[in-house]
Amino acid sequence: MGMEAERTANEERENVLSRIALRFTAITERWLPDAFGFVLVGTFVVLALGLLTGAPVTGTPDDPEATTGYGLVDAWGKGFWSLIQFTLQMAMIIIGGYAVAVSRPVAWLISRLARVPRTPRAAVAFTAAVSMASSYLNWAFSLIFTAILAKEISRLVRGVDYRAIGAMAFLGLGTVWAQGLSGSAALQVASEGASPEAVQNVIAEGRGSGLIPLTETIFLWQGMAATAAVFIVAVALAWFLTPSPARTKTAEDLGIRLRPLLEEQSSGSGKDSEADRPRRPGDWLEHSPAFAVLIFLLGTWYLFRYFASAAGNPLNALDLNTINLILILLALILHWRPVRLIAAVKEGVTAASGVLIQFPFYGGIFGMIAFTGLSSTIAGWLAGISNAFFYPALVAIYSCVLGIFVPSGGSKWVIEAPYVIDAANQLEVHQGWMVVVYDLGEASANLLQPFWMLPTLAILGLKARDIMGYTFAMFLVCFPVVLVMVTLFAQTLSFP
């Protein structure tokens, strides 16, 4: 009777937000397809939208180098492999981030952090905070690091809802990552080599220079204040979204077996087993740290020269290739022996498998939006109903909607930047602030579609439908906060 009374009391105390999250989770578990199904459906949603706007079904321009004038079918084919370089970069950033996160020193750090929260509710909120803080530094590392942390916390803290903590492990990618040090749009407009000429030209029309420094985007006090506000709201919301014990589903309930992190890491890439020890002179190279140290020093020397030669702020030199090199060098030195790194990479490939198969299909969606002129059509609708006051909120909404179908911060910015900045010039809205608006709107889309959840889900052993009820509930609160802040803070900034 005592246990039954306690369960009833817990159910009564369960808050409205938690019930909403559970309701959405039940819906997504029943009705949502897995991530690959999502992109297949999205392909035909965009195709139907193109037909409704009058885009031709087939057709190619006379100039083979043209980026507009294609029919929907031909645009899909042209776009299918358009993100192939980006696909490899994303796969490598996931594999590199995974290799760093499962190294013995980082595993030791995770095991210590996992002991901080003592209750299920604190565990979910703590994971949300770590996810956002780490994604502000580097989104790729955050995806892997926080997923492994969530697993270890779930093992140590009894009664943690594995779906809720899994959703919070991904939270950084749905809130603050684009406003951080690895935010694609801000890095692009701050670097001449990364920003396309068409984007630089439209920026120059408003300010005389084709570049917008980081001090006028992510390092604006208004931008940092907006990011901090989203952080605080999201952590508080994570606390209230945690379901009561009676409604909790632990990893064990979901059929997922959790092993101690250091034990799992030691049996995998972290420690050589007897069978893996060198048995012949030729094996020495794989087991000796000598060349790992030498390669690390060589790479560090190059990076020092690379950043020192960057014009202006060294942060402007950051790009995906540089981040990947840093991750690989860190993984090499943290694993110490090459054989351990190779084992970690083999494990990391599994986490990147969803990216490898799905990115080409997202490239096809990108093609139908970009190469048919559909993006300009949509932008024209938005600009026609906007003014200087409402324009930031409208762009945030548009970026969020487009982000559901083209989940790539860097590539999507190239699509949006010319007309977003052009309209900002016409309405005399601060150009750098529109980059911040884009960042916050684009990140919010990740709470509604499962693409960037793939690495996190692979590590946790979950499906997208297991966590999307929680991410959707988070979106319902955080996105309105974003809209209010981008509108009000815009009034404190002057053009350009």
Side-chain angles (χ1 to χ4, degrees), residues 179 189 202-203 206-207 211-223 387-389 391-393 395 413 417 419-438 486-496:
Q179 273 292 98
V189 298
V202 73
I203 292 173
R207 62 189 296 115
L211 303 178
I212 306 175
L214 293 176
T215 53
E216 294 189 35
T217 54
I218 63 174
F219 293 137
L220 281 170
W221 74 259
Q222 293 91 340
N387 57 37
F389 183 82
Y391 183 64
V395 169
W413 171 248
Y419 52 79
V420 166
I421 298 298
D422 183 32
N425 292 340
Q426 296 178 41
L427 297 171
E428 296 189 353
V429 178
H430 190 278
Q431 291 181 340
W433 186 244
M434 295 316 302
V435 177
V436 174
V437 170
Y438 167 84
V486 299
T487 301
L488 296 182
F489 279 137
Q491 312 312 309
T492 68
L493 292 160
S494 59
F495 183 74

Side-chain angles (χ1 to χ4, degrees), residues 244-257:
S244 68
R247 297 173 180 264
T248 289
K249 285 189 178 181
T250 64
E252 183 179 5
D253 294 333
L254 296 171
I256 298 170
R257 179 173 175 265

Side-chain angles (χ1 to χ4, degrees), residues 83 86 177 359 403 406-413 438 442 451-452:
L83 301 180
F86 190 58
W177 81 269
F359 250 71
V406 186
S408 168
S411 297
K412 189 165 74 68
W413 171 248
Y438 167 84
E442 192 278 331
F451 182 75
W452 289 112

Side-chain angles (χ1 to χ4, degrees), residues 377-387 391 394 423 427:
T377 300
I378 299 172
W381 295 342
L382 295 175
I385 60 173
S386 182
N387 57 37
Y391 183 64
L394 201 59
L427 297 171

Side-chain angles (χ1 to χ4, degrees), residues 63-400:
D63 182 2
E65 301 299 321
T67 56
T68 58
Y70 287 84
L72 289 163
V73 173
D74 297 288
W76 181 85
K78 179 177 174 62
F80 195 84
W81 296 115
S82 64
L83 301 180
I84 190 64
Q85 178 178 342
F86 190 58
T87 302
L88 179 58
Q89 289 172 323
M90 290 300 99
M92 288 303 300
I93 211 167
I94 291 168
I95 293 168
Y98 183 92
V100 170
V102 300
S103 66
R104 195 162 187 81
V106 176
W108 179 88
L109 173 62
I110 290 174
S111 69
R112 295 301 180 271
L113 287 174
R115 289 177 168 81
V116 173
R118 299 300 179 88
T119 66
R121 197 175 294 277
V124 173
F126 178 76
T127 302
V130 172
S131 176
M132 289 186 287
S134 57
S135 69
Y136 187 85
L137 297 176
N138 183 275
W139 64 266
F141 175 75
S142 174
L143 279 177
I144 311 304
F145 179 86
T146 318
I148 296 174
L149 174 65
K151 285 182 68 175
E152 185 69 359
I153 290 175
S154 297
R155 185 185 68 84
L156 294 174
V157 181
R158 189 173 181 179
V160 173
D161 189 289
Y162 200 59
R163 303 162 301 172
I165 200 170
M168 296 310 109
F170 173 76
L171 185 59
L173 268 288
T175 51
V176 303
W177 81 269
Q179 273 292 98
L181 301 180
S182 59
S184 305
L187 292 174
Q188 282 185 12
V189 298
S191 175
E192 185 173 358
S195 194
E197 184 178 356
V199 176
Q200 293 187 47
N201 289 341
V202 73
I203 292 173
E205 290 176 5
R207 62 189 296 115
S209 168
L211 303 178
I212 306 175
L214 293 176
T215 53
E216 294 189 35
T217 54
I218 63 174
F219 293 137
L220 281 170
W221 74 259
Q222 293 91 340
M224 291 188 288
T227 303
V230 171
F231 182 97
I232 293 170
V233 170
V235 171
L237 189 57
W239 177 277
F240 289 109
L241 284 176
T242 306
S244 68
R247 297 173 180 264
T248 289
K249 285 189 178 181
T250 64
E252 183 179 5
D253 294 333
L254 296 171
I256 298 170
R257 179 173 175 265
L258 301 178
R259 297 171 56 192
L261 175 60
L262 292 179
E263 175 188 311
E264 181 178 353
Q265 193 266 350
S266 295
S267 66
S269 58
K271 183 179 180 180
D272 298 336
S273 65
E274 290 294 331
D276 291 332
R277 294 187 187 280
R279 297 184 176 182
R280 61 188 181 89
D283 293 335
W284 174 85
L285 187 62
E286 297 177 3
H287 294 265
S288 170
F291 279 93
V293 173
L294 290 174
I295 292 293
F296 177 79
L297 293 175
L298 176 65
T300 303
W301 187 4
Y302 162 76
L303 288 172
F304 177 80
R305 290 178 51 79
Y306 175 77
F307 284 108
S309 65
N313 194 322
L315 288 175
N316 293 342
L318 275 177
D319 57 23
L320 288 172
N321 290 333
T322 308
I323 291 171
N324 273 327
L325 176 57
I326 292 171
L327 288 174
I328 291 171
L329 291 174
L330 282 174
L332 183 62
I333 198 66
L334 288 173
H335 283 282
W336 194 243
R337 303 179 190 278
V339 68
R340 297 178 184 174
L341 175 62
I342 295 302
V345 168
K346 288 180 180 178
E347 297 168 7
V349 169
T350 300
S353 59
V355 167
L356 293 173
I357 188 59
Q358 290 191 50
F359 250 71
F361 289 91
Y362 277 109
I365 293 175
F366 161 80
M368 288 192 290
I369 291 176
F371 302 143
T372 64
L374 178 59
S375 60
S376 297
T377 300
I378 299 172
W381 295 342
L382 295 175
I385 60 173
S386 182
N387 57 37
F389 183 82
F390 289 111
Y391 183 64
L394 201 59
V395 169
I397 294 171
Y398 171 70
S399 295
C400 180

Side-chain angles (χ1 to χ4, degrees), residues 456-470:
T456 299
L457 295 171
I459 292 169
L460 292 170
L462 292 170
K463 298 291 187 181
R465 56 180 174 265
D466 295 324
I467 71 171
M468 286 191 67
Y470 291 93

